[in-house]
Amino acid sequence: MRPTLDPREAERLVETYADLILRLSYTYLSHTQDAQDVCQTVFLKLLERAPAFASPDHEKAWIIRTTVNTCKDLLKSHWRRSTAPMEAAADIPAPAVEEGSLLAAVNLLPPKYRLVIYLYYYEGYAAQEIAHLLGCSRATVNTQLHRGRERLKLILKEEGSL
């Protein structure tokens, strides 16, 4: 049977150590959201394991050691090493759509048709998958695909591409 922590004890631990964990993890990671994630992770570990502490000093040492180890785990995680902050992505322009290309014609469609056409042809999703992603029925997706293709044909004829 797993040990459980009394809700009052859990509340006491949060009130006592939340600031310490946040400050320590922010010092380690220099990022507020990551520090908040570490704080939550440390308390989850504490709740899951419910260790018996010999003294308040032992309790505090466990909290600090767990916080440091969690920060280290986050820093060496594959996700952290292979992602970039959102701010860095803002400087990268979207690829330009060539005038007269099929994608340019797709972009002229109304949004509801553009979305299903893009997901179906460019991203390779099946109609059922698109329906699940968009929260509608498969019949709706099939209808939008059909109507989108018809409109796309008209656009391409007007441009002289067909």
Side-chain angles (χ1 to χ4, degrees), residues 70-131:
T70 304
C71 288
K72 286 180 180 180
D73 290 344
L74 181 64
L75 287 173
K76 67 183 178 185
S77 72
H78 174 71
W79 179 88
R80 175 105 177 180
R81 286 179 289 146
S82 62
T83 59
M86 290 294 289
E87 296 80 24
D91 297 334
I92 301 171
V97 177
E98 292 180 32
E99 180 107 14
S101 71
L102 183 58
L103 184 56
V106 170
N107 284 337
L108 295 174
L109 292 171
K112 66 180 179 179
Y113 302 134
R114 181 182 335 141
L115 182 58
V116 294
I117 293 282
Y118 180 81
L119 289 173
Y120 188 81
Y121 289 104
Y122 287 88
E123 296 298 327
Y125 285 102
Q128 184 62 45
E129 294 172 312
I130 296 170

Side-chain angles (χ1 to χ4, degrees), residues 20-73:
L20 169 68
I21 296 168
L22 280 171
R23 284 192 313 270
L24 181 60
S25 54
Y26 182 79
T27 301
Y28 218 90
L29 303 168
S30 301
H31 197 264
T32 304
Q33 288 82 6
D34 288 341
Q36 290 169 341
D37 288 346
V38 166
C39 186
Q40 185 176 11
T41 302
V42 169
F43 283 119
L44 283 173
K45 288 178 181 180
L46 184 61
L47 289 172
E48 287 173 349
R49 297 178 186 151
F53 298 114
S55 67
D57 289 336
H58 179 226
E59 179 180 88
K60 187 174 184 177
W62 187 93
I63 295 283
I64 291 171
R65 187 74 252 158
T66 303
T67 301
V68 169
N69 288 342
T70 304
C71 288
K72 286 180 180 180
D73 290 344

Side-chain angles (χ1 to χ4, degrees), residues 138-149:
R138 182 178 179 178
T140 300
V141 170
N142 286 331
T143 300
Q144 289 175 346
L145 280 169
H146 176 72
R147 290 178 182 167
R149 286 184 203 112

